[in-house]
Amino acid sequence: MKVEVVNVFNIKLTQEYIDSSITFVLRKSSLATNILFKALNESIAEIPKDHDLLVATGTGEIKNKIIYADNFKHQDKVISPTLFSKTLESNIAGQLGVLLKSNYVNFYFNEAASIEMALMNSFFRIKKHKNSIFILSYDYLDFDGIPEYPFIKNSPYQFSFGLNVIEIKQLETKKECIKIERFNYNYIHGLNLNKIISFLKSENIFNAFFDNVLIANNKFTSLNKVLESLQISYNTIEEYKNKCGEYPTSISYAIATAFNKIKSKKYRKILVLSILNNNISYIVMKS
Amino acid sequence: MSNKYIYIAGKGFTCSIGNNPNELIEFVKSKSGIIFSEEYKSKKNDKPLCLGEISDTYDKFDSLIKSTIDEAINNEIENDRINNYSGKNRSALIIASTSYATKLYEQKVKSEETDRIEDLNYIHPYFFNNLICDYLKFSGLLVNNQNACASSGYSISYGYDLLKNDIVDRVIIIGIDFLCESSIYGFESMGLLDYELVKPYDKNRNGTNLGEGCGVLIIKQYDSKALKNSLIEIKATEQYNDGYHMTSISPDSIGLNKVINELLKVCDSTEIDLVVTHGTGTSNNDLTEGNALKKCFKEKNIDFTSFKSAMAHTLGASSILDVILSVICMENNFIIPTFRFNEPIKEHGLTPVNKCKEKEIRNVITLSSGMGGYTSGILLSK
């Protein structure tokens, strides 16, 4: 199936922005919800009625969960319903759905492939309901006091709050637009070089023409060998690990970047590739 | 979109009313699986809480999950029984939960085994994903669904779409939730727990009882010839978000009306033999859901029940367990009753099936709702 990427937004958030979002919407909302809603309000001119909202994250409400879990070290502490509510990841999407009047909301929370899961879901939804789909991906970690948290310690990235919005809808054939030509993703048990190559070959990435390759995530040290095997010219690769500090929002950041590059007519066909913790995904975008 | 049919090819379950389909009917004829817990006491009044418990430790439950997965896979309808199985052999694994392995973290905190920050990983889905994937040595399309108490309903729907769109040939769906302090005392803090045994759809209902459980479904796509195997078909799925409130569904039941009406476009209301409701026993849910049933089924006196009164509310696992128990009801032409019902709710006056009932069950709708406005419905057909 082919879909059109209507628009993408990459929202860079400063600490002041985050601070000013704390009381923006609802006192009981999580900080993530407040920031997301504020950013959406300020960034998207119009959210159509009957839209679908798919929210993808790798970090969820981890900070609230840590605070909440910490309460169990102090058995006498009465648990507050507000704090409990803030630990429920699905509430982030639910709250946004309430605020934006979405008629379908789904939420994906996975360390690696949450955006791909949302993208797959969006294709099903478009086929069935022909709605506009907003994929909202965010990652938020506040590191105060938890610098040793494994996601931070083991990551090469600079963490912060990252937010990307991708609006997609069904392709209107005669219109000049930016398409997601195809995409797929896989969890591969015991991921290794041969298995990566085998997957990408089976997906016809082998020897395909791309005039730009964006590596959204790469924790696989032999990536060059993968690209050599696939005969993809990798002098076009742009490493994003230091540019987009948000993990794993970097995939949606790469989609946004590919969108803008194709829109500016700098490139015609771009491969977005991600290899992270046994997960591999690719997205082919073209004009 | 494929015109083929989606069938349940394998199932396994573990919950407070057992894990054996052959013994389940006899069990529910005499009792429910909810007990006054020795492990968990109310933080408000120190009384034992009513819970649908399976095991007291994470390790025991972990081994039960694995045996449940094995049960589903061992009983999976073999490929050669179905002529038109495409044989591409690409699988998807969908995992739905609300707490993942939080119980393990809490256990370690309590036993003072840990101050290690690494143990916080237990509260992240990736720890749990890897656990299941390692056990199954899984490669394929992995999906996590988190839609609160409707999580596994959304997962079944996602699996259905994957098959209908020919993305994969086989989907394993695992819905799972452990009883842990985070969930229990979180629900208590919100005033959602009944300190007595749960009474869904009763005028004097006072909240829900939480439980734990695991349900595993394997679904596949076949052509119509497979009908001769008398498999249960997933005929349609529907979801809607009512966008009303964070912790309750809309009192005018917009989401549920939409979901039920969409399913009734596929199967006429006169052909629905049973509705398995979410029926949590909370004030909001049973009133709203009952209103939706009344509105959508109009004059038809529909048979409906809530399995929560038998096995408690298993949160992320509840939708998939509802589907699995519905399949067992269909296979046995038996309705698991709603326990402890005495008097209908004044506003809608509906009475659930509250005694064991035998009847031919051809088509079943199962409903689930979750915090955040999530609503899901699944239509099963013989």
Side-chain angles (χ1 to χ4, degrees):
Chain A
M1 190 200 333
K2 291 178 181 177
V3 295
E4 173 191 359
V5 178
V6 181
N7 220 334
V8 292
F9 306 89
N10 173 243
I11 300 162
K12 293 185 190 303
L13 301 170
T14 62
Q15 189 58 48
E16 291 78 35
Y17 192 98
I18 292 171
D19 291 344
S20 70
S21 302
I22 289 171
T23 55
F24 182 70
V25 189
L26 297 166
R27 187 174 56 84
K28 290 184 177 179
S29 295
S30 66
L31 178 59
T33 309
N34 281 347
I35 296 170
L36 293 171
F37 185 63
K38 186 170 187 236
L40 278 171
N41 258 356
E42 291 172 2
S43 304
I44 299 173
E46 191 183 349
I47 298 177
K49 282 184 180 174
D50 300 329
H51 68 276
D52 291 356
L53 178 70
L54 308 174
V55 180
T57 179
T59 54
E61 282 287 16
I62 216 80
K63 188 191 173 193
N64 282 326
K65 281 208 161 188
I66 290 168
I67 296 168
Y68 191 68
D70 206 44
N71 276 3
F72 293 100
K73 290 177 185 170
H74 310 284
Q75 290 290 306
D76 52 331
K77 218 171 189 176
V78 176
I79 290 162
S80 105
T82 305
L83 180 56
F84 174 63
S85 177
K86 285 180 180 180
T87 66
L88 301 172
E89 269 88 9
S90 49
N91 267 2
I92 300 168
Q95 277 180 316
L96 285 169
V98 170
L99 295 166
L100 298 170
K101 302 287 172 210
S102 316
N103 64 8
Y104 175 88
V105 177
N106 213 334
F107 181 76
Y108 294 99
F109 179 20
N110 190 297
E111 87 284 11
S114 49
I115 290 139
E116 291 89 327
M117 292 169 194
L119 204 53
M120 184 75 86
N121 195 9
S122 72
F123 286 5
F124 303 152
R125 293 292 302 174
I126 283 175
K127 234 177 179 180
K128 198 172 174 184
H129 296 286
K130 298 184 169 49
N131 291 349
S132 269
I133 311 269
F134 287 87
I135 297 177
L136 193 154
S137 67
Y138 83 94
D139 280 304
Y140 164 57
L141 281 173
D142 181 342
F143 315 107
D144 293 347
I146 50 166
E148 291 301 308
Y149 192 68
F151 287 112
I152 301 162
K153 201 169 70 176
N154 301 330
S155 170
Y157 307 144
Q158 297 283 315
F159 280 89
S160 63
F161 194 107
L163 168 63
N164 296 293
V165 183
I166 303 166
E167 182 188 356
I168 61 175
K169 65 179 187 182
Q170 198 162 32
L171 193 67
E172 292 171 27
T173 45
K174 288 185 179 175
K175 193 179 157 193
E176 192 177 310
C177 57
I178 296 161
K179 299 183 273 285
I180 291 181
E181 187 189 62
R182 58 199 170 97
F183 101 105
N184 211 342
Y185 72 99
N186 234 24
Y187 178 98
I188 299 175
H189 186 260
L191 189 85
N192 59 31
L193 182 63
N194 287 340
K195 288 181 180 178
I196 291 170
I197 291 169
S198 171
F199 171 72
L200 291 174
K201 281 186 174 175
S202 71
E203 294 291 321
N204 294 323
I205 298 295
F206 177 72
N207 214 12
F209 167 77
F210 303 104
D211 51 13
N212 195 228
V213 180
L214 302 181
I215 308 300
N217 282 304
N218 174 29
K219 278 198 171 181
F220 188 72
T221 49
S222 306
L223 185 70
N224 287 356
K225 285 183 186 167
V226 175
L227 297 165
E228 275 170 18
S229 303
L230 295 170
Q231 298 179 23
I232 292 175
S233 167
Y234 58 95
N235 58 6
T236 57
I237 291 168
E238 297 179 25
E239 277 282 0
Y240 276 84
K241 67 179 181 181
N242 293 318
K243 290 184 184 172
C244 62
E246 304 87 18
Y247 151 100
T249 314
S250 45
I251 296 167
S252 56
Y253 183 81
I255 294 172
T257 307
F259 176 89
N260 288 327
K261 285 185 172 197
I262 295 170
K263 199 175 179 185
S264 68
K265 306 211 183 288
K266 201 173 168 189
Y267 299 101
R268 287 162 296 165
K269 195 171 180 180
I270 295 179
L271 171 71
V272 174
L273 191 61
S274 171
I275 304 170
L276 185 65
N277 301 349
N278 287 337
N279 289 277
I280 178 163
S281 72
Y282 73 86
I283 301 163
V284 176
M285 294 176 69
K286 62 181 282 195
S287 57
Chain B
M1 185 85 78
S2 159
N3 288 322
K4 290 181 179 178
Y5 301 85
I6 311 301
Y7 285 97
I8 293 172
K11 63 179 186 298
F13 71 98
T14 300
C15 62
S16 61
I17 51 175
N19 57 9
N20 185 337
N22 300 322
E23 294 169 4
L24 183 80
I25 303 289
E26 284 310 309
F27 184 97
V28 296
K29 278 181 182 172
S30 59
K31 57 185 172 184
S32 85
I34 306 171
I35 54 160
F36 285 89
S37 170
E38 290 176 9
E39 188 183 356
Y40 296 102
K41 290 184 177 175
S42 163
K43 278 199 185 279
K44 290 184 180 170
N45 58 29
D46 208 34
K47 288 181 181 169
L49 290 168
C50 296
L51 300 170
E53 288 178 295
I54 299 177
S55 66
D56 53 354
T57 65
Y58 175 86
D59 290 343
K60 280 189 207 163
F61 196 17
D62 181 55
S63 64
L64 276 171
I65 295 165
K66 287 169 180 166
S67 62
T68 307
I69 294 170
D70 289 344
E71 170 79 13
I73 290 173
N74 292 339
N75 292 320
E76 182 180 348
I77 302 297
E78 289 175 7
N79 298 346
D80 56 12
R81 282 183 61 183
I82 309 295
N83 293 332
N84 285 357
Y85 181 58
S86 74
K88 280 187 291 178
N89 269 330
R90 190 171 183 222
S91 291
L93 173 64
I94 308 180
I95 301 172
S97 181
T98 63
S99 65
Y100 295 95
T102 304
K103 187 184 179 94
L104 183 56
Y105 175 75
E106 289 174 3
Q107 221 172 269
K108 283 181 177 287
V109 168
K110 270 186 167 177
S111 62
E112 295 180 350
E113 274 178 31
T114 185
D115 250 336
R116 293 183 304 127
I117 201 104
E118 277 80 2
D119 288 338
L120 283 166
N121 276 334
Y122 299 139
I123 61 178
H124 196 287
Y126 100 101
F127 169 81
F128 204 73
N129 286 345
N130 287 341
L131 209 70
I132 303 278
C133 289
D134 276 349
Y135 181 67
L136 290 172
K137 296 190 171 38
F138 176 79
S139 289
L141 205 138
L142 175 67
V143 180
N144 274 111
N145 259 91
Q146 275 203 326
N147 310 89
C149 305
S151 295
S152 47
Y154 272 67
S155 298
I156 293 168
S157 180
Y158 199 110
Y160 177 91
D161 284 336
L162 284 170
L163 291 168
K164 276 278 179 186
N165 286 282
D166 279 325
I167 308 287
V168 296
D169 301 296
R170 173 180 181 254
V171 181
I172 304 169
I173 305 153
I174 302 176
I176 186 163
D177 248 313
F178 304 83
L179 276 171
C180 59
E181 295 197 12
S182 305
S183 307
I184 293 171
Y185 297 121
F187 268 71
E188 188 183 30
S189 73
M190 295 174 111
L192 294 173
L193 292 189
D194 193 337
Y195 294 110
E196 300 298 325
L197 296 171
V198 62
K199 303 174 280 292
Y201 279 90
D202 191 85
K203 182 186 162 192
N204 297 315
R205 70 200 182 284
N206 205 18
T208 197
N209 297 156
L210 295 183
E212 57 193 345
C214 172
V216 182
L217 274 181
I218 300 174
I219 59 175
K220 288 179 178 174
Q221 178 179 253
Y222 303 122
D223 74 2
S224 58
K225 287 174 188 171
L227 286 167
K228 67 184 179 188
N229 290 311
S230 304
L231 301 177
I232 303 295
E233 180 190 358
I234 298 177
K235 211 162 188 174
T237 68
E238 191 62 38
Q239 297 87 43
Y240 195 76
N241 189 282
D242 69 13
Y244 172 70
H245 188 266
M246 289 321 305
T247 54
S248 59
I249 46 179
S250 164
D252 53 10
S253 62
I254 295 170
L256 282 160
N257 293 344
K258 170 97 177 160
V259 164
I260 296 170
N261 284 330
E262 285 298 317
L263 296 177
L264 292 181
K265 285 179 187 170
V266 180
C267 181
D268 189 77
S269 65
T270 56
E271 293 175 4
I272 302 294
D273 301 303
L274 177 66
V275 176
V276 175
T277 62
H278 193 52
T280 55
T282 60
S283 172
N284 171 256
N285 181 84
D286 295 3
L287 173 62
T288 307
E289 202 173 36
N291 287 341
L293 290 181
K294 206 162 180 184
K295 195 165 186 177
C296 298
F297 287 94
K298 298 187 173 71
E299 300 306 312
K300 180 175 160 56
N301 194 14
I302 185 80
D303 273 343
F304 73 98
T305 186
S306 162
F307 296 155
K308 308 282 187 299
S309 65
M311 64 173 174
H313 186 4
T314 54
L315 303 175
S318 70
S319 319
I320 199 165
L321 285 168
D322 280 355
V323 167
I324 291 168
L325 297 192
S326 297
V327 169
I328 294 169
C329 287
M330 294 169 91
E331 287 168 346
N332 291 279
N333 290 317
F334 178 88
I335 300 177
I336 299 172
T338 303
F339 290 84
R340 297 174 289 281
F341 173 83
N342 284 315
E343 208 176 331
I345 296 166
K346 199 172 80 182
E347 286 85 342
H348 55 60
L350 294 177
T351 299
V353 174
N354 53 58
K355 290 192 170 56
C356 295
K357 183 173 178 177
E358 291 184 10
K359 80 174 229 187
E360 168 76 17
I361 306 172
R362 298 156 301 164
N363 300 299
V364 175
I365 286 177
T366 70
L367 298 172
S368 55
S369 306
M371 286 185 193
Y374 302 97
T375 312
S376 168
I378 293 161
L379 173 61
L380 301 169
S381 189
K382 235 180 212 174

